Amino acid sequence: MTTIRTGIGFDIHRLVEGRPCILGGVELPHPTGPDGHSDGDAVLHAICDAILGAAGLDDIGTRFPDTDEKWKGADSRDLLRASVAEVRGMGWTVGNVDVVIATEGPRIAPHRASMRESIAALLEVTPDCVNVKGKTLEGLGALAGGAGVAVQATCLLHLS
Ligand code: MG
């Protein structure tokens, strides 16, 4: 019987003026923020996909479609809470989550601890079960210069 499952998630958003810079459920002091139908929190979206993926539950776009007015301006924390509740209802417990945030927009390092705490609270795990890493892009590619944020996340689920 399978007792552990892993999942991977990825998300990418443009960073635009006039939007709050919410990543990992934390508002960062930055002049641009992730564009999107919801609050654009690419970190929580990638984590959602990792968790849903580990549980075999398709993906965030299927479960919370951006064509549905219900999710316009959605607080991504609600999407993550709903995803976690669903996998927990299937008997899974979140073991750990690891996240890479690639951007040349906001600096991630000063906010890693608060992001870990924010994400851990949403997952109902301790902050040591959540890791957050910021990466710059060496000035390469379409995200160079702070044009966007790309996030990878992995999740391990185990049976309770
Ligand atoms: Mg997204």
Side-chain angles (χ1 to χ4, degrees), residues 44-61:
L44 297 191
H45 296 175
I47 294 171
C48 262
D49 264 355
I51 289 171
L52 293 171
L57 293 175
D58 299 314
D59 60 35
I60 189 172

Side-chain angles (χ1 to χ4, degrees), residues 115-127:
M115 280 192 206
R116 288 177 71 166
E117 286 178 16
S118 160
I119 295 163
L122 294 167
L123 302 178
E124 296 181 36
V125 299
T126 51

Side-chain angles (χ1 to χ4, degrees), residues 140-156:
L140 296 170
L143 301 183
V149 55
V151 183
Q152 287 181 314
T154 63
C155 172
L156 183 136

